[in-house]
């Protein structure tokens, strides 16, 4: 997979972090989310879904961490410019 580079304003990055936090917060713990969402399905199906949801959740959390780190680095650069 080829990496994609996005340029975000600080405000957009903050909004994206907030949205990611809200989205991932609803889906944790994963088993509770999947068992509730797919209550009518059998256990084997739910177990498969748990893996899928956990994988997506991990990717979203990784993205959130990278955005957060980029914001910290940008704040540090701005702070150093001001000195």
């Amino acid at each position: 997979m080829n990496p994609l580079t996005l340029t975000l304003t600080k405000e957009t990055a903050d909004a994206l972090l907030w949205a990611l936090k809200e989205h991932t917060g609803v889906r944790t713990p994963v088993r509770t989310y999947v068992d509730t969402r797919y209550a009518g399905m059998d256990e084997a199906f739910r177990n498969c879904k748990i893996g899928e949801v956990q994988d997506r959740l991990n990717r979203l959390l990784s993205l959130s961490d990278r955005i957060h780190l980029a914001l910290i680095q940008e704040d540090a650069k701005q702070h150093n410019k001001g000195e």
Side-chain angles (χ1 to χ4, degrees):
M1 184 182 331
N2 295 328
L4 178 65
T5 301
L6 300 174
T7 303
L8 304 173
T9 64
K10 183 178 182 327
E11 292 77 17
T12 301
D14 285 338
L16 184 54
L17 277 177
W18 180 85
L20 286 168
K21 186 179 288 188
E22 289 294 312
H23 185 75
T24 57
V26 170
R27 284 155 179 80
T28 53
V30 172
R31 175 164 290 284
T32 302
Y33 168 75
V34 169
D35 284 348
T36 301
R37 175 95 163 77
Y38 299 102
M41 305 303 282
D42 66 17
E43 185 175 356
F45 176 86
R46 290 195 315 271
N47 286 337
C48 182
K49 279 295 179 186
I50 286 169
E52 292 173 10
V53 171
Q54 186 65 58
D55 182 55
R56 286 193 303 265
L57 185 63
N58 289 344
R59 284 185 273 144
L60 289 173
L61 291 171
S62 175
L63 174 61
S64 180
D65 288 345
R66 290 191 312 244
I67 292 169
H68 185 73
L69 179 59
L71 285 171
I72 290 170
Q73 291 171 339
E74 184 61 29
D75 285 346
K77 279 198 303 191
Q78 294 301 320
H79 178 73
N80 289 340
K81 277 184 180 178
E83 289 181 353

